[in-house]
Amino acid sequence: AEFQTGGDRVVEAHLDQPRLAARDVLRAVRERDAYANLVLPGLLRERRIEGRDAALATELAYGSARAQGLLDAVIAEAAGRSIDDIDGPLLDVLRLGTYQLLRTRIAPHAAVATSVDIARAESGPGKSGFVNAVLRQVSRRSQEEWIDALAPHDPVGRLAFEYAHPVWIAQAFADALAADAGELEALLEADDTRPGVHLIARPGEISAE
C-alpha cells in the first residue's frame, strides 16, 4: 500500500512493520472497540511478521493498550491540549511512541523517529512535526518524573496512575484487601507486569524434558 503525502510518496512497506502492526491494533481498539488480543494474531499472520518482530509488535500493542490512562495523561501534558483535541490517527502513534519512551528500553531516538515516519506516511509532514514535538517533550522526563508531576495526591489514585489502572479498579482492589490494604501497591504492580510465557507438558503426550 502507498500513501500520498503532498509531493512525497511514502511506501508503507518501508515503514517499521512491527510498530505499524501495533499502531493498527491500537486503531482497531479506538475506532471499533475491538479486542486487541483478537486483532493482533490475525495481523501478524496476514503480514507474516514472525520471531522477534512479532514479539516486539505484541509488546507494543498490548503494552500501549494496557497503559493507556497513564500514556494519555502524559501526552495531554506534553501536547498542551486535551486528548479529545488530538486527531485519532495521531493519537494512536503518540500512544505507541510514548509507551516506547517511558516503558521500554528502546532507544529514545528510535522511538521518536519510527513514530514520526508512521505519522508522516499517513498524515504528511505538518502533522508528523506535531508528533515529533510532543514525543521530544515526553522524552525529557522519565516515567517516574511524569508520575511525580501528574499523579493524583490521594494514595489510591496515585497508585492507580503509577501502575496504569483505572481508579475504580484500584479502589475495588483496596476494598477487597480490607485489612491488608497495605498490599495494594504490590497487587497493582503484579497486575501491571508483562505476562510471562509458560509451556505445559500434557501427561501422556510429552514429557517435561
Side-chain angles (χ1 to χ4, degrees):
E2 294 182 337
F3 298 108
Q4 187 72 40
T5 59
D8 299 326
R9 213 170 166 75
V10 181
V11 182
E12 188 181 72
H14 291 171
L15 298 175
D16 184 281
Q17 291 303 302
R19 289 175 173 86
L20 197 62
R23 188 283 309 269
D24 290 344
V25 171
L26 296 182
R27 175 168 297 181
V29 172
R30 177 180 55 79
E31 292 184 344
R32 310 196 308 268
D33 289 329
Y35 290 95
N37 64 312
L38 299 182
V39 173
L40 180 62
L43 281 181
L44 297 180
R45 286 194 301 271
E46 176 186 327
R47 301 179 187 183
R48 298 180 180 179
I49 299 174
E50 301 174 336
R52 293 172 65 88
D53 285 346
L56 176 61
T58 300
E59 164 65 15
L60 297 184
Y62 292 166
S64 297
R66 188 173 63 242
Q68 184 175 308
L70 169 64
L71 301 179
D72 283 358
V74 172
I75 291 167
E77 182 70 16
R81 65 182 70 175
S82 167
I83 289 297
D84 295 334
D85 295 332
I86 299 175
D87 291 347
L90 295 182
L91 183 57
D92 297 332
V93 177
L94 286 170
R95 285 169 173 165
L96 183 62
T98 300
Y99 180 79
Q100 293 174 76
L101 288 170
L102 300 186
R103 300 197 124 202
T104 74
R105 296 179 181 178
I106 292 171
H109 72 272
V112 173
T114 53
S115 299
V116 170
D117 286 345
I118 291 173
R120 182 184 295 115
E122 182 174 23
S123 303
K127 291 186 177 180
S128 69
F130 170 72
V131 169
N132 182 64
V134 173
L135 291 181
R136 290 193 179 281
Q137 185 69 22
V138 171
S139 70
R140 291 175 181 167
R141 295 182 182 180
S142 66
Q143 177 179 233
E144 291 71 23
E145 289 170 333
W146 279 113
I147 289 170
D148 287 341
L150 301 178
H153 294 298
D154 66 286
V156 173
R158 180 183 174 86
L159 289 174
F161 186 83
E162 181 173 358
Y163 295 107
H165 281 69
V167 173
W168 71 268
I169 290 181
Q171 187 60 59
F173 283 174
D175 294 342
L177 287 168
D180 296 321
E183 298 179 5
L184 178 61
E185 181 171 6
L187 190 156
L188 292 174
E189 182 178 12
D191 201 43
D192 187 41
T193 300
R194 296 170 180 83
V197 176
H198 297 79
L199 300 179
I200 299 175
R202 293 187 176 182
E205 296 185 15
I206 190 173
S207 68
E209 290 74 20

